[in-house]
Amino acid sequence: MARFKALLKEATRSGRAALAPSRAVKDVLESVARSLDQAPGHDEHLPWLRHLPAHHLVEARCHEAAPEQFRRIGPWCGAEAWTKHRDPVAASDRARAVAATRSRRS
């Protein structure tokens, strides 16, 4: 999780909206997504937490890992990753569609 926070901090500091799609970034994002599976399923923060990796997985073109995060999030899209957009619902739906259509597991 510390590596994920460092990546987000770097993206914010550099003014980039998304993390660069390098292999190292993809590895960290996929690791974060997997680590969320270790959190208790009843944790009320878990759906909110899944939005950040889902968003960044799509932006970093990790289309294989992103659909699972969206599946586990369900239809809710009120997290920070989407609320920065003028239309959060459209931004979330667009990212979900990109992940689904570009994933071999769709």
Side-chain angles (χ1 to χ4, degrees), residues 6-82:
L7 283 173
L8 293 179
K9 187 175 182 177
E10 173 60 27
T12 303
R13 189 181 62 169
S14 68
R16 293 189 310 255
L19 300 170
S22 71
R23 183 70 250 161
V25 166
K26 289 179 181 184
D27 289 345
V28 170
L29 290 171
E30 290 171 358
S31 174
V32 168
R34 284 190 307 274
S35 74
L36 291 175
D37 291 340
Q38 297 172 12
H42 63 277
D43 187 324
E44 65 187 39
H45 298 102
L46 195 54
W48 181 84
L49 289 172
R50 288 190 187 281
H51 286 278
L52 285 174
H55 167 74
H56 288 291
L57 284 163
V58 171
E59 293 296 319
R61 300 183 191 122
C62 296
H63 301 119
E64 297 300 315
E68 181 61 18
Q69 296 306 307
F70 284 109
R71 185 187 70 73
R72 291 176 176 219
I73 288 167
W76 185 70
C77 65
E80 184 178 332
W82 318 116

Side-chain angles (χ1 to χ4, degrees), residues 82 84-92 94:
W82 318 116
K84 294 179 180 183
H85 296 271
R86 189 172 358 145
D87 186 343
V89 174
S92 176
R94 190 170 31 257

